[in-house]
Amino acid sequence: MLDKLVEFLIRFGNQAMPWVIIEEWNGAVHLRFGKWIETLEPGLYFKIPFFDSIIECPVITQSINLPSQTLTTLDEQSIVLKSIIRYRVRNVRTYLLKVMHATDVLIDTTQGMIRDIVEVTTWEDLVDVNDQLTNEVKEFVVKWGIEVEAVTITDLGIVKSFRIFGDEVHKTTILPTDI
């Protein structure tokens, strides 16, 4: 309960201030009554208390570790791969106001594109796929104000897949996928 009170007081104090400071590593949008006024770069800005809102986001390079993916290559190899995305925000207004949860959208899009590329690539050719991944993801996500610097596969291996089936009595049967 006390933490909610402290949070309310901090938020009220921030709204009551007639200025805001945008740090060097952030960008921001200035909204008045919920409508976009301008995009802000680092510095000191004045605002109308309680009528203006300032929403900030980091614009410096960030990295996201993607969850492991189990996929099948063109030559029917079952693989597990792990990858990272290195990106930065280029258009703060688009990033904050045109897409909800932009990093989640970036992750989902990248994993889908990885799947699409791996499915048409043989195991031996996966070594050289990072540049293709980077270029395709970079081109696709620019519409959300994001600039992708690199998509890199960090871990890659062949695995044996199994399917687990259960019945009404909670008995399970494990079958290899190559049956």
Side-chain angles (χ1 to χ4, degrees):
M1 180 78 167
L2 182 62
D3 58 335
K4 297 288 185 189
L5 177 62
V6 170
E7 183 180 328
F8 171 77
L9 292 174
I10 290 171
R11 183 172 284 168
F12 181 81
N14 287 337
Q15 285 291 324
M17 291 291 184
W19 67 82
V20 65
I21 297 172
I22 309 298
E23 282 86 6
E24 184 67 28
W25 54 87
N26 282 344
V29 290
H30 180 179
L31 306 175
R32 181 165 296 143
F33 299 114
K35 185 173 168 114
W36 178 81
I37 300 294
E38 64 181 325
T39 301
L40 306 176
E41 298 201 3
L44 175 66
Y45 296 91
F46 293 95
K47 64 182 183 82
I48 302 171
F50 303 106
F51 297 114
D52 289 355
S53 299
I54 308 296
I55 304 171
E56 295 183 53
C57 73
V59 295
I60 58 175
T61 299
Q62 302 173 65
S63 181
I64 300 174
N65 286 315
L66 298 177
S68 297
Q69 287 182 268
T70 304
L71 303 167
T72 303
T73 63
L74 183 64
D75 53 353
E76 298 296 321
Q77 293 289 333
S78 291
I79 65 165
V80 171
L81 66 81
K82 203 149 164 47
S83 52
I84 61 166
I85 311 168
R86 194 174 64 241
Y87 74 99
R88 63 185 298 133
V89 175
R90 276 291 179 205
N91 185 325
V92 175
R93 180 182 182 192
T94 302
Y95 182 81
L96 289 173
L97 302 179
K98 303 293 183 194
V99 62
M100 182 65 82
H101 306 294
T103 53
D104 291 342
V105 173
L106 176 61
I107 290 168
D108 295 343
T109 299
T110 303
Q111 285 196 296
M113 293 180 123
I114 288 170
R115 189 207 62 229
D116 291 345
I117 290 171
V118 166
E119 286 178 344
V120 296
T121 307
T122 63
W123 166 250
E124 291 176 1
D125 293 336
L126 283 178
V127 176
D128 299 323
V129 81
N130 287 339
D131 289 338
Q132 180 185 359
L133 280 170
T134 299
N135 292 334
E136 288 191 25
V137 174
K138 179 186 289 191
E139 186 178 312
F140 193 82
V141 301
V142 72
K143 64 185 171 191
W144 298 316
I146 300 170
E147 178 188 333
V148 170
E149 295 176 0
V151 177
T152 307
I153 295 175
T154 58
D155 195 12
L156 180 63
I158 296 176
V159 295
K160 184 146 182 92
S161 296
F162 295 92
R163 296 205 190 274
I164 300 175
F165 297 94
D167 60 14
E168 300 85 34
V169 194
H170 305 301
K171 295 180 183 176
T172 58
T173 305
I174 300 175
L175 299 173
T177 57
D178 56 354
I179 291 180

